[in-house]
């Protein structure tokens, strides 16, 4: 059975505030490159 995981994201013009229950909070730039890098890191 797959466990559900909820990640909170607050979207602003210049950045994204992301909260992962296990990894804590992080702020990244709101740019395509930063979002791609973050998404790739989440899959590993």
């Amino acid at each position: 059975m797959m466990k559900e995981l909820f990640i909170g994201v607050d979207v602003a013009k210049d950045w994204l505030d992301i909260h992962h229950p296990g990894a804590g909070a992080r702020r990244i730039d709101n740019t395509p490159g930063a979002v791609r890098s973050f998404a790739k890191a989440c899959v590993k």
Side-chain angles (χ1 to χ4, degrees), residues 1-5:
M1 182 169 170
M2 186 179 288
K3 185 177 176 182
E4 289 183 331
L5 174 67

Side-chain angles (χ1 to χ4, degrees), residues 6 11-13 17 21 26 28 34 43:
F6 295 94
V11 180
K13 181 180 177 184
D17 288 330
R26 183 172 176 188
I28 64 170
V43 176

Side-chain angles (χ1 to χ4, degrees), residues 24-42:
R26 183 172 176 188
R27 178 173 280 182
I28 64 170
D29 291 335
N30 190 357
T31 63
V35 172
R36 255 191 312 276
S37 293
F38 180 78
K40 285 181 185 178
C42 288

